[in-house]
Amino acid sequence: MNRIQADVVIIGSGAGGGTIAQALAPLTADGKKVLVLEQGARLRDDEYTGVESDMARALYEDSGGFLTEQGTLTLAFGRTYGGSTAVYTGTSLIAPERVIRAWDVPDLDHDDIARRCRNFAAQNHVHLLPDDEINDNNRLFELGCRRIGLAAEQFPVNVNGCRGSSLCNLGCPNAAKMGTDRVQLPAAETAGVEVVTRAEALRIEERAVIARVSRPLDGEKGLPSAWEPGEYRIEASAVVVAGGAVGSPALLLRSGFGRLLPRLGEGFTCHPAFILVGEHEERITNDVGHPKSFYLDRAQEEGYVLETCMYFPFITAKNLTGFGPDHSALMKAFPRLQMILVLACDRAVPGNRVSVSGKGVTRVHYEFTPEVRSSLARATVMAARIFFAAGAVRVHAPLASPPLLTRGQADQLDQKISAHEFLPGRTSVSAAHLMGGCAMGRTPEDSVTDAWGRVHGVPWLRIGDSSLFPDSLEINPYLTIMALADRTAEALMGDSAALFDS
Amino acid sequence: MSVSLGVVRDPFRALCIAFVPESAELNEPGWRELESEVERALADRPTAIQKQMVLLIRILDLLARARHGNPLAALTPAARRELLTRLQDSRWLLLRRGVWGLRTLAFLGYYSRPDTAASIGYRADLRGWEARR
């Protein structure tokens, strides 16, 4: 096994790991070695082709279809340089004060989170798109909301030079999305941080990480790793885990920390979601322009959020309910389709968790609670109302029976759409806002870390990603992840004398 | 291990046509393209999943013989869809998951084809607005 000495090893390069890499970069000026291990590859700019199956395979874990243990929910999370920030739409919201307060984590207050979020929003060029860059798919959502007396809000997004390819979730082909792959990681590398791609952290030992570096497969996208393929033991004064809400708890469980930390892996939430489509009589612009410009936040009142979205042929087909001629007819109407993503604000509940099998394989256990099913049903009714108000002639609603609703049924939505139609395994549900598993809190009995990402009882081990969330965030999480990661880095810098001298 | 759909080609194609009626119009190179995409996706999954998918297709074929006296490929598309719909609505999660998995693979194979994207009017372009204005 190869041996490497470092001062800090960061595992993961997404919103958490990328942020921490940049924040710790000044250590390199003092001669400290800061390493980032990223399991995925770094792609060349010309490898972002927008080809759905190729990009999904290159950028996502399990091509974006990681199945839960129950087999009823797919999870989409990035596995590439920049993690999920390479594949999100760049929507940039600051967490609501009521959510952070409800988390009830000592020494974590909303003002601090909001201040850090604003800093990263400025750093990552977050702004509202001008009106002439908003496509019909988004305009119709805003119009539909307005016509039923609700105010859709515009998403601030972190793009710079967006050409409107609509391909954000397949990696921006125009390098316009300002994720950690475009901002924090390059800055860190320029300052002297070393980012090693294709490097999978297998387990953590006392002040050390065991990692395996892989070579590219034949025909696989991405540059080779800077390190030779093989196994490495990387010894470091501090290890920061930022592998995301699935990867981080799984790695710690695989490394035996579950014995110290009974809450490890618990409290997994994910904003389970599905899409509705509304069919219009005329063509609309939907597969051009930024896909996600507006949202309707009903989290506090009704436990859901609606967002505009526009997916690609396969993902769209997969997310529609059913199959056969009706399904095909809807797919053929693609140029006339408006799309809305419905997200339930789920709660951390016992049983929904990350675990590892005896062989170390990562498992995610997730059951849909009655509250989630009800939220999805209410959200479906609201989305259908918005479609019809915007002029749609038909709406495909997963929780309606049959799923196709016509305009003539627009006043019967409460009767036609029901949570009883939610049948796990039949209803296509996916999630991309993965949270929890290494929750912040007070003690090892109720959490995994303190409010600064310090793992209880293991001073050299830190967490800096969405796994820190004690409960659902109820909005798009990436700015909050960056804020928490920034706190993790700040605490580590504050503790550096003790860490590096010990 | 990487699975080959060759061992269940006829029932697999019959299922694809039930899920996506337009796939009946594919020529042999089109089918090979669809099947390659599915095989590529399965190759990324654990061996157990690959075997389960092949087994499920075989079970569905046997079920068709038991219920209708003919293999899947000999049933009308409507009869195949009726069978699949019953399984999709089953009280047994395992059956619902199985149908969901198969339909997902069929959609992956069919809708990942560039010809299909064009045929349904999907026009996303790397140049974005510039390609439309």
Side-chain angles (χ1 to χ4, degrees):
Chain A
M1 187 179 297
N2 303 284
R3 286 179 175 268
I4 301 281
Q5 289 290 333
D7 292 286
V8 183
V9 178
I10 302 161
I11 299 166
S13 70
T19 299
I20 293 167
Q22 179 182 250
L24 298 186
L27 289 172
T28 61
D30 299 331
K32 298 281 190 274
K33 182 164 183 162
V34 179
L35 281 179
V36 177
L37 304 181
E38 167 53 51
Q39 187 178 357
R42 184 195 310 239
L43 271 60
R44 298 190 316 267
D45 283 352
D46 65 358
E47 290 182 301
Y48 290 90
T49 59
V51 175
E52 185 177 7
S53 59
D54 291 350
M55 297 314 301
R57 185 170 285 110
L59 299 176
Y60 287 90
E61 180 73 23
D62 281 354
S63 297
F66 182 99
L67 259 181
T68 56
E69 205 49 14
Q70 287 74 10
T72 55
L73 168 69
T74 54
L75 308 177
F77 51 102
R79 190 194 57 200
T80 184
Y81 179 82
S84 292
T85 73
V87 291
Y88 61 7
T89 48
T91 51
S92 306
L93 297 175
I94 296 176
E97 192 274 338
R98 66 181 171 78
V99 170
I100 303 299
R101 183 164 21 93
W103 281 1
D104 192 25
V105 177
D107 205 17
L108 181 74
D109 68 79
H110 182 261
D111 286 349
D112 182 67
I113 296 286
R115 176 180 61 81
R116 293 173 199 262
C117 285
R118 284 192 293 271
N119 288 344
F120 286 112
Q123 201 174 106
N124 289 32
H125 206 261
V126 171
H127 65 292
L128 298 175
L129 287 179
D131 197 48
D132 64 353
E133 291 182 29
I134 308 287
N135 67 15
D136 294 340
N137 183 51
N138 284 286
R139 285 180 200 286
L140 288 165
F141 179 84
E142 192 278 332
L143 175 69
C145 286
R146 191 153 28 92
R147 283 182 174 167
I148 59 173
L150 296 168
E153 297 173 77
Q154 189 173 354
F155 271 120
V157 290
N158 67 358
V159 295
N160 191 8
C162 175
R163 299 175 73 184
S165 74
S166 80
L167 298 165
C168 308
N169 294 128
L170 300 178
C172 180
N174 301 308
K177 187 169 55 186
M178 298 292 106
T180 58
D181 55 329
R182 298 291 174 192
V183 181
Q184 283 74 28
L185 289 167
E189 289 187 277
T190 300
V193 173
E194 185 178 0
V195 180
V196 185
T197 56
R198 302 185 187 274
E200 180 186 9
L202 302 175
R203 63 184 185 277
I204 297 171
E205 297 180 349
E206 179 74 21
R207 294 178 192 266
V209 178
I210 308 301
R212 182 193 298 130
V213 173
S214 304
R215 68 178 76 250
L217 302 172
D218 285 347
E220 190 183 13
K221 287 180 186 287
L223 299 167
S225 177
W227 288 7
E228 286 298 312
E231 289 212 357
Y232 290 80
R233 177 182 172 83
I234 305 150
E235 294 173 352
S237 301
V239 175
V240 186
V241 181
V246 174
S248 290
L251 175 61
L252 294 183
L253 285 165
R254 207 175 288 126
S255 305
F257 288 96
R259 288 188 290 275
L260 281 174
L261 304 159
R263 295 289 302 161
L264 186 57
E266 300 290 335
F268 177 82
T269 59
C270 62
H271 296 161
F274 53 61
I275 62 170
L276 277 76
V277 297
E279 186 181 342
H280 289 265
E281 286 177 324
E282 306 291 334
R283 291 178 81 107
I284 63 171
T285 49
N286 55 13
D287 54 9
V288 61
H290 191 280
K292 198 177 284 290
S293 298
F294 287 101
Y295 67 103
L296 181 70
D297 185 352
R298 305 288 291 175
Q300 189 169 13
E301 302 87 347
E302 300 194 84
Y304 66 81
V305 176
L306 304 185
E307 300 182 352
T308 52
C309 67
M310 182 49 60
Y311 294 110
F312 323 104
F314 161 57
I315 289 294
T316 302
K318 174 188 153 190
N319 277 288
L320 299 176
T321 297
F323 49 79
D326 285 347
H327 184 282
S328 286
L330 210 51
M331 289 300 292
K332 284 180 189 159
F334 208 100
R336 293 182 285 113
L337 295 184
Q338 182 191 349
M339 209 175 279
I340 296 177
L341 183 71
V342 159
L343 302 100
C345 301
D346 53 345
R347 299 260 74 90
V349 295
N352 286 352
R353 63 194 171 91
V354 176
S355 73
V356 291
S357 71
K359 291 182 177 174
V361 176
T362 303
R363 312 273 195 217
V364 177
H365 308 260
Y366 193 90
E367 295 280 2
F368 301 100
T369 63
E371 291 77 17
V372 161
R373 296 172 194 227
S374 296
S375 292
L376 288 171
R378 287 191 296 271
T380 301
V381 171
M382 179 63 83
R385 287 180 65 200
I386 293 167
F387 280 128
F388 285 126
V393 291
R394 295 200 305 169
V395 170
H396 177 94
L399 302 188
S401 180
L404 274 176
L405 301 166
T406 60
R407 190 186 277 170
Q409 296 169 314
D411 57 353
Q412 304 162 37
L413 298 178
D414 286 322
Q415 292 79 49
K416 295 284 181 188
I417 296 168
S418 163
H420 296 303
E421 288 299 321
F422 185 95
L423 197 53
R426 180 182 69 180
T427 310
S428 246
V429 189
S430 57
H433 298 170
L434 315 185
M435 302 165 276
C438 300
M440 298 175 288
R442 294 172 168 78
T443 67
E445 284 69 43
D446 70 14
S447 57
V448 173
T449 79
D450 69 6
W452 297 88
R454 298 182 185 98
V455 174
H456 297 305
V458 192
W460 52 268
L461 184 59
R462 310 295 169 100
I463 311 286
D465 60 24
S466 64
S467 69
L468 290 169
F469 293 12
D471 208 335
S472 161
L473 189 66
E474 304 184 18
I475 59 156
N476 308 53
Y478 103 90
L479 272 186
T480 308
I481 300 169
M482 297 182 86
L484 293 180
D486 194 47
R487 287 167 56 89
T488 297
E490 184 178 310
L492 195 148
M493 291 289 266
D495 299 341
S496 62
L499 284 170
F500 298 137
D501 291 343
S502 60
Chain B
M1 175 196 161
S2 60
V3 72
S4 165
L5 290 171
V7 294
V8 286
R9 174 159 295 137
D10 288 349
F12 176 74
R13 289 185 180 183
L15 288 166
C16 283
I17 293 166
F19 290 127
V20 188
E22 293 73 23
S23 60
E25 294 154 24
L26 291 175
N27 57 18
E28 191 56 28
W31 275 113
R32 282 310 305 152
E33 197 178 7
L34 184 156
E35 286 160 358
S36 295
E37 190 62 44
V38 172
E39 286 168 350
R40 197 159 69 122
L42 283 172
D44 293 340
R45 300 284 170 163
T47 306
I49 300 268
Q50 298 176 27
K51 288 180 177 172
Q52 282 167 19
M53 274 297 151
V54 170
L55 181 63
L56 178 63
I57 293 167
R58 287 191 163 131
I59 289 172
L60 290 177
D61 205 36
L62 286 173
L63 200 57
R65 289 174 198 267
R67 288 182 64 91
H68 299 277
N70 278 308
L72 279 169
L75 300 186
T76 64
R80 284 177 226 153
R81 279 196 295 278
E82 188 263 335
L83 175 69
L84 290 167
T85 301
R86 289 172 71 96
L87 297 174
Q88 178 187 247
D89 295 340
S90 163
R91 57 188 290 205
W92 305 106
L93 174 60
L94 200 60
L95 293 177
R96 299 197 300 268
R97 281 175 51 177
V99 173
W100 184 89
L102 282 174
R103 79 189 267 286
T104 298
L105 289 174
F107 291 156
L108 172 72
Y110 186 76
Y111 287 106
S112 294
R113 301 172 60 254
D115 286 357
T116 303
S119 73
I120 63 171
Y122 178 72
R123 298 190 296 159
D125 190 293
L126 307 186
R127 296 166 297 159
W129 290 111
E130 187 187 322
R132 300 285 175 93
R133 287 172 172 164

